[in-house]
Structures are given as C-alpha cells and as structure tokens.
C-alpha cells in the first residue's frame, strides 16, 4: 500500500493541475454528485441517527448518575460533528462510492475503454478522475452536515425517550448550542472534504492500475476500500491534531 | 493495387480529409512480463495502402498494433509516421490516427451516439447539433441507423465493431488500425466489414493496417500481407505473392488442417 502512495500523490497532483478544466466537465461532475447523494443520503441520515442514539444511550445513564444529564447534548453534539459524522460518513462513502469508482474505472481499464480514450487523445485523468474527485470532495462534506444534524436528532430522541436519562428537548439542545459552535461543525466539514479527496484519489488510482481481467477488478475494489479506510483512520489522528491546534 | 472483386467498395460521399500516412517500423523489440513478444520487426506501410498482418494467436499482433498507435513504447527500434518518430508528442497531435479494438472498446456507460461523438465533444470541435449530424452520417456509412440511443451492451458483436469503426471515422483519420475486425462475426458481417475497410481506402485514402487471421478477408482487401509468428515476420509480400506462396509453415499457421 505504501508503495502506491507515491503514485497516488502523482495522480492527486495531476487532478489539481487539471482543476481549471473543471468547468468543461461540469455536466459529469453534477452527474457524479447526484449519484453519490442518491446512493448515500438516506443511508447517511439513518445511520447517523442510530450513532447519535447509541452515543446518548451509552453515556447518558453514566452522566445522569453523576447528575450531569444536562451535558449530554453538548457531548453528543461535539462527538458527532468533530469525529463521528466525518469518520462514519467516510467509511460509508468508501464502501459505497469508492468501491464503485474503482470497479467502474477498473472495468474500463480491463476492457480497453481507457486505451480507446487515449487513442482519441482524451486524457483519462481529466475525463474520468477529475469529475469524480470534485464530486466526492464536495459530496462528502455535504453528507457530513446531514449526518451531524441526524446524529444530534438521534441523540435527542434517546435522551428524551429513555427513562434512565429523561431530559427534555430544550435542555438537550440548549446545552448543545452552548458547547457546539460553527467552528466545530466546520471542523467536521473540513475532515469530510479531506476524506473525500482520499477516497477519490485512492479509488481512482486503484481503478486505473487494474490489470488481469474480471478478477483484477475485484482486487482493485477490495484494495480501494481497504486502503481508503486505512488512510482515513491514520490521517484522522493527524488531522485532529492540526485542527485542535488551530482552534 | 489488387483488390479482389468479392469486396466491391460501397459508394459514398467524397471526403476532404488529410491523406494517409506512411508508416515505417524499424527493428521493433518488446518484452512484456519477462517474455520477448516482439523480436525485431521491420516493415513499411505506404500511404493509402491496406496492409494486413496475419499470424496465429499469441504471435504478438495486438502488441504490435498497440505500439503503432503509441499505447506501448518499444524497448528497442522505432516507429516513424511520415518519417517522424511516433513517440514525440507533436507527431501524436499532428497526425490523426485511430484504432478499432478487437472488442470494440466502446464506452459501456455511453450510448452509441455518445460513443461515436465523444472525440468531437471532448475536443469541442463541433456544436451539439453538428455532432449529431456527423454521428448520424458516420453511423450510416457503416450501415447502422436508428441505434443511436442504444447502449453497447444492447448490440451484437458485429454491430459493436461497426460502431467502433464509425467512432474512428469521426476522427477523419490518416491511419486506421483494426485488431481482428471480423473475429467472432458471421461470414456476411465479415464481408460487410471488409467492404467498409476497402471503401474507406477509396473514399478517404486512409492508410489501413488490419490484423486478422482470416485468410479470406486478407486476400479480399489487402494490398500487401505480412505473416508474423512468435514476434518475427516470416512472410511479407503482395496479395498475389501471398496466394502463390507454397511455404508449408505459412499454410500450417494460417489454414486449419481439419478435414472431416
Ligand atoms: N501486458 C502484457 N503482459 C504480459 N504479456 C503480454 C501482455 N500483452 C500481451 N502479452 C503476451 O504477448 C503475447 C502476444 O499477445 P498478443 O499480441 O495479444 O497476441 P495476438 O497475436 O493474438 O494478438 C501473448 O503471449 C500474450 O500473452
Ligand atoms: Mg490479438
């Protein structure tokens, strides 16, 4: 995996250099963006509600025992936007979108569609990778925002509904508003964008270097997802450090 | 130039495209996966000629074509287009070259129409309306109408190949490479493809290099024929020389011995 890191960086650099061409590919970007939203938005919201709910369920009774049940809104609020929403959405996106990107580009490679593009002087990085990278880099932060809201709401439902915690919506959201500011949400959005770049680059890179027929496509998909997840979890730590430093 | 009567060219419009290019291959060598696939190939293809390359499967024909269009670069030797090395980027943009892949290599996520028009659209050479017109015209040239909205997966193998040819024609190429254009086709579709290759030569004076292991097609369309085996040329000559050759090796390689 770390041997590919150089190639991945080169691909990323090629995409960055091609950014001025993005306008020309706006149609493809929109299509990709729409596909990502369509595939993940509902799932993202449902999953995040459960994540927020579990968070409240796990911590709520403990906090309530200590007489701190009023702080649960802030706890769920901060955890969701700074960590859980971006990481969980990145995982969901790596599994659903990254895998699809690797499979799609990988099969184009295996079935010589990419060779055909090259013979027509159509740059595959511009034609295939650029629109996907832009779309996922914009879509993942968007999913993160929805996930944050859904997570907060899920936490609220459990905090209000469960007998061990039993606080009101007002207490929950007042505490949340007190402890969470827009910077914290931005924190999650930035993480989402970085994770989007990682998933896009890793998955497109795996797709482009697919060899060896249909079996090769399967390997490319597996490696795209596993490598994306590994990079995300490792980078999450360092990103958190950097963002904490900025605060 | 001799062209057998069985493939009379289709009548078509005259086209004001650029003349075909001359190709020179000099001592081309290439190893892939630790095996020497091309072992010093040299030949020339004249402008406007139909040059057919024959040989058993695995002899390196597709790898050779990939070199001619610049998808692979040689380990040794060189390829010249009108005297200029194909590896220089100016040459790649100066001369128009197209390849019809064995599978067609159509983009499966695009319709037939989008496939055929992709070159014009991505290089912004025409407006959408003009592209539509060009696409219809090229599809008609290869005998296809009313399939513009279908996807490649909805077409037969023969239709896919004809769409691939139409997609190449849009480039108005000076060189077209065909990789096994008639494999997997029934005799009638093979005949149609043969006619198309021949008619293009007469209409736009394109240089054509056709890889095939169908002797009938080769004799029907070729000006000259080369036979390669294990990455080396074992025969090169005009079509009539090819027909007269008594070389048992060539007969063994190209004609099946199967007699019921
Ligand atoms: N990318 C590759 N890596 C390794 N070996 C290859 C590669 N491409 C082709 N070959 C080998 O080169 C030989 C010639 O292949 P090819 O040119 O496709 O034959 P054909 O004459 O049937 O078109 C075959 O033995 C094939 O296995
Ligand atoms: Mg072949």
């Amino acid at each position: 995996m770390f041997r590919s890191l150089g190639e991945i960086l080169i691909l990323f650099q090629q995409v960055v250099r091609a950014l001025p061409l993005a306008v020309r590919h706006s149609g493809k970007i929109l299509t990709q963006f729409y596909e990502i939203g369509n595939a993940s938005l509902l799932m993202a919201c449902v999953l995040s509600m459960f994540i927020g709910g579990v968070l409240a369920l796990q911590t709520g009774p403990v906090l309530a025992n200590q007489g701190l049940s009023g702080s649960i809104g802030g706890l769920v609020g901060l955890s969701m936007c700074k960590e859980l929403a971006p990481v969980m959405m990145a995982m969901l996106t790596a599994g659903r979108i990254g895998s699809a990107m690797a499979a799609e580009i990988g099969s184009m490679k295996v079935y010589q569609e990419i060779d055909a593009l090259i013979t027509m002087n159509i740059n595959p990085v511009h034609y295939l990778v650029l629109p996907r990278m832009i779309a996922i880099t914009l879509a993942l932060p968007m999913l993160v925002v929805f996930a944050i809201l859904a997570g907060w709401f899920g936490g609220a439902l459990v905090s209000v509904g469960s007998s061990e915690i039993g606080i009101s919506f007002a207490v929950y959201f007042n505490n949340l508003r007190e402890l969470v500011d827009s910077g914290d949400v931005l924190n999650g959005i930035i993480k989402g964008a970085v994770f989007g770049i990682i998933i896009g680059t890793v998955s497109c890179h795996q797709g482009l270097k697919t060899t060896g027929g249909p079996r090769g496509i399967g390997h490319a998909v597996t490696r795209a997802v596993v490598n994306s997840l590994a990079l995300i979890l490792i980078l999450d730590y360092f990103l958190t450090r950097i963002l904490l430093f900025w605060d | 130039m001799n062209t057998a009567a069985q493939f009379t060219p289709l009548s078509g419009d005259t086209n004001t495209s650029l003349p075909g290019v001359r190709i020179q291959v000099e001592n081309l060598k290439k190893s892939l996966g630790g095996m020497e696939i091309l072992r010093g190939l040299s030949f020339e293809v004249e402008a406007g000629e139909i040059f057919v390359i024959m040989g058993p499967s695995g002899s390196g024909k597709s790898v050779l074509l990939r070199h001619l269009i610049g998808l692979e670069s040689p380990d040794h030797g060189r390829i010249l287009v009108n005297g200029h090395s194909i590896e220089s980027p100016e040459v790649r943009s100066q001369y128009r070259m197209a390849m019809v892949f064995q599978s067609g290599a159509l983009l499966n996520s695009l319709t037939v129409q989008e496939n055929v028009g992709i070159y014009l659209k991505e290089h912004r050479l025409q407006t959408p309306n003009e592209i539509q017109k060009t696409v219809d015209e090229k599809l008609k040239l290869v005998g296809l109408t009313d399939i513009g909205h279908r996807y490649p997966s909805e077409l037969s193998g023969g239709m896919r190949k004809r769409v691939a040819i139409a997609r190449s024609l849009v480039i108005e190429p000076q060189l077209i490479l065909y990789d096994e254009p008639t494999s997997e086709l029934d005799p009638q579709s093979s005949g149609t493809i043969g006619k198309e290759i021949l008619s293009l030569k007469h209409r736009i004076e394109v240089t054509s290099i056709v890889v095939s292991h169908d002797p009938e097609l080769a004799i029907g369309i070729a000006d000259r024929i080369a036979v390669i085996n294990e990455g080396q040329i074992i025969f090169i000559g005009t079509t009539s020389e090819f027909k007269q050759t008594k070389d048992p090796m060539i007969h063994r390689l190209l004609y099946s011995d199967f007699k019921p």
Side-chain angles (χ1 to χ4, degrees):
Chain A
M1 167 188 168
F2 290 99
R3 224 178 305 142
S4 317
L5 220 53
E7 290 166 25
I8 292 173
L9 286 174
I10 291 171
L11 180 63
F12 179 63
Q13 183 203 352
Q14 287 173 337
V15 171
V16 171
R17 280 222 217 104
L19 275 180
L21 297 173
V23 189
R24 285 176 69 152
H25 296 281
S26 50
K28 285 196 278 287
I29 296 171
L30 270 177
T31 313
Q32 292 288 333
F33 188 81
Y34 179 77
E35 272 177 25
I36 296 173
N38 215 15
S40 311
L41 189 53
L42 184 66
M43 180 101 119
C45 291
V46 173
L47 282 185
S48 301
M49 272 185 59
F50 276 97
I51 293 167
V54 160
L55 205 56
L57 201 58
Q58 293 273 20
T59 55
V62 182
L63 288 175
N65 268 342
Q66 310 279 319
L68 294 170
S69 57
S71 318
I72 193 165
L75 189 136
V76 173
L78 281 175
S79 316
M80 274 319 287
C81 61
K82 293 183 94 159
E83 184 62 30
L84 287 171
V87 169
M88 297 313 274
M89 286 310 103
M91 290 185 160
L92 175 69
T93 309
R96 272 202 97 147
I97 310 298
S99 60
M101 284 182 179
E104 207 176 346
I105 296 180
S107 87
M108 294 186 72
K109 174 79 191 308
V110 166
Y111 296 111
Q112 296 185 314
E113 294 177 34
I114 291 181
D115 286 339
L117 288 176
I118 294 171
T119 65
M120 291 186 281
N121 280 330
I122 297 171
N123 185 329
V125 172
H126 299 178
Y127 184 81
L128 297 171
V129 180
L130 178 70
R132 285 173 171 77
M133 285 281 292
I134 295 180
I136 198 170
T137 307
L138 297 176
L140 191 44
M142 181 205 74
L143 286 181
V144 168
V145 170
F146 280 97
I148 289 171
L149 295 175
W152 288 351
F153 185 62
L157 282 184
V158 170
S159 304
V160 174
S162 112
S163 53
E164 292 102 325
I165 310 168
I167 54 172
S168 71
F169 275 111
V171 171
Y172 178 91
F173 279 109
N174 276 337
N175 182 248
L176 195 153
R177 208 174 306 144
E178 216 169 281
L179 289 178
V180 181
D181 60 29
S182 54
D184 298 320
V185 178
L186 188 65
N187 194 316
I189 292 176
I190 291 172
K191 277 189 173 181
V194 173
F195 295 160
I197 291 172
I198 292 174
I199 297 168
T201 330
V202 170
S203 306
C204 292
H205 167 254
Q206 283 300 338
L208 285 176
K209 64 171 228 180
T210 305
T211 52
R215 272 175 71 102
I217 301 172
H219 288 306
V221 170
T222 311
R223 275 198 303 264
V225 175
V226 172
N227 291 0
S228 297
L229 289 182
L231 266 181
I232 284 166
L233 292 177
I234 293 169
L235 243 109
D236 182 44
Y237 175 80
F238 294 101
L239 204 54
T240 306
R241 291 227 91 140
I242 294 170
L243 290 169
L244 276 179
F245 180 74
W246 255 346
D247 254 358
Chain B
M1 308 211 169
N2 50 78
T3 47
Q6 82 205 77
F7 292 111
T8 27
L10 307 163
S11 63
D13 52 351
T14 44
N15 206 316
T16 53
S17 50
L18 299 161
V21 289
R22 187 161 63 105
I23 301 292
Q24 291 159 280
V25 176
E26 293 175 357
N27 198 18
L28 182 63
K29 291 184 186 168
K30 180 73 175 185
S31 298
L32 284 170
M35 287 236 307
E36 191 168 33
I37 310 292
L38 302 180
R39 307 179 177 195
L41 294 175
S42 301
F43 59 89
E44 292 187 13
V45 182
E46 294 305 322
E49 189 177 28
I50 296 182
F51 188 79
V52 174
I53 298 168
M54 305 184 70
S57 33
S59 55
K61 305 182 297 294
S62 298
V63 172
L64 171 61
L65 282 193
R66 291 173 63 81
H67 281 81
L68 295 177
I69 193 102
L71 284 172
E72 304 268 0
S73 48
D75 293 341
H76 187 271
R78 51 184 196 158
I79 297 161
L80 305 178
V81 182
N82 281 356
H84 306 287
S85 169
I86 192 171
E87 298 206 57
S88 87
E90 300 99 74
V91 170
R92 296 273 303 126
S93 55
Q94 185 179 354
Y95 297 107
R96 298 179 172 184
M97 299 184 275
M99 174 146 164
V100 178
F101 288 83
Q102 180 164 2
S103 60
L106 300 175
L107 275 72
N108 277 310
S109 58
L110 302 184
T111 62
V112 165
Q113 202 162 323
E114 290 165 334
N115 262 288
V116 177
I118 188 172
Y119 178 81
L120 299 171
K121 178 162 180 247
E122 291 305 313
H123 295 292
R124 307 187 142 189
L125 299 172
Q126 294 185 349
T127 65
N129 278 338
E130 289 167 342
I131 292 178
Q132 175 77 52
K133 257 183 69 187
T134 312
V135 166
D136 287 344
E137 180 193 318
K138 302 300 179 196
L139 282 173
K140 213 171 130 205
L141 275 181
V142 295
L144 296 173
T145 43
D146 295 329
I147 61 154
H149 294 286
R150 293 212 221 156
Y151 283 89
S153 58
E154 301 164 352
L155 304 178
S156 71
M159 282 160 109
R160 276 203 286 272
K161 276 193 182 148
R162 279 144 79 182
V163 173
I165 295 177
R167 182 173 70 179
S168 302
L169 294 183
V170 166
I171 299 172
E172 313 238 304
Q174 297 165 274
L175 170 70
I176 305 191
L177 310 174
Y178 299 88
D179 198 353
E180 313 251 4
T182 62
S183 65
E184 311 144 39
L185 296 194
D186 59 277
Q188 202 194 340
S189 312
S190 298
T192 319
I193 300 247
K195 274 184 200 164
E196 272 149 22
I197 295 172
L198 206 49
S199 84
L200 283 173
K201 164 192 160 137
H202 289 278
R203 236 184 29 249
I204 62 176
E205 290 174 9
V206 60
T207 307
S208 311
I209 299 178
V210 184
V211 159
S212 175
H213 48 223
D214 174 359
E216 211 172 308
L217 174 84
I219 291 169
I221 64 172
D223 295 314
R224 287 191 305 137
I225 294 174
V227 180
I228 70 174
N229 187 33
E230 293 179 352
Q232 286 177 314
I233 294 187
I234 57 166
F235 170 89
I236 188 162
T238 64
T239 307
S240 46
E241 285 165 357
F242 176 79
K243 280 194 282 191
Q244 282 154 17
T245 181
K246 296 279 184 284
D247 189 336
M249 173 93 154
I250 292 176
H251 279 262
R252 206 175 47 245
L253 290 176
L254 300 181
Y255 297 93
S256 124
D257 285 333
F258 180 72
K259 298 237 166 54

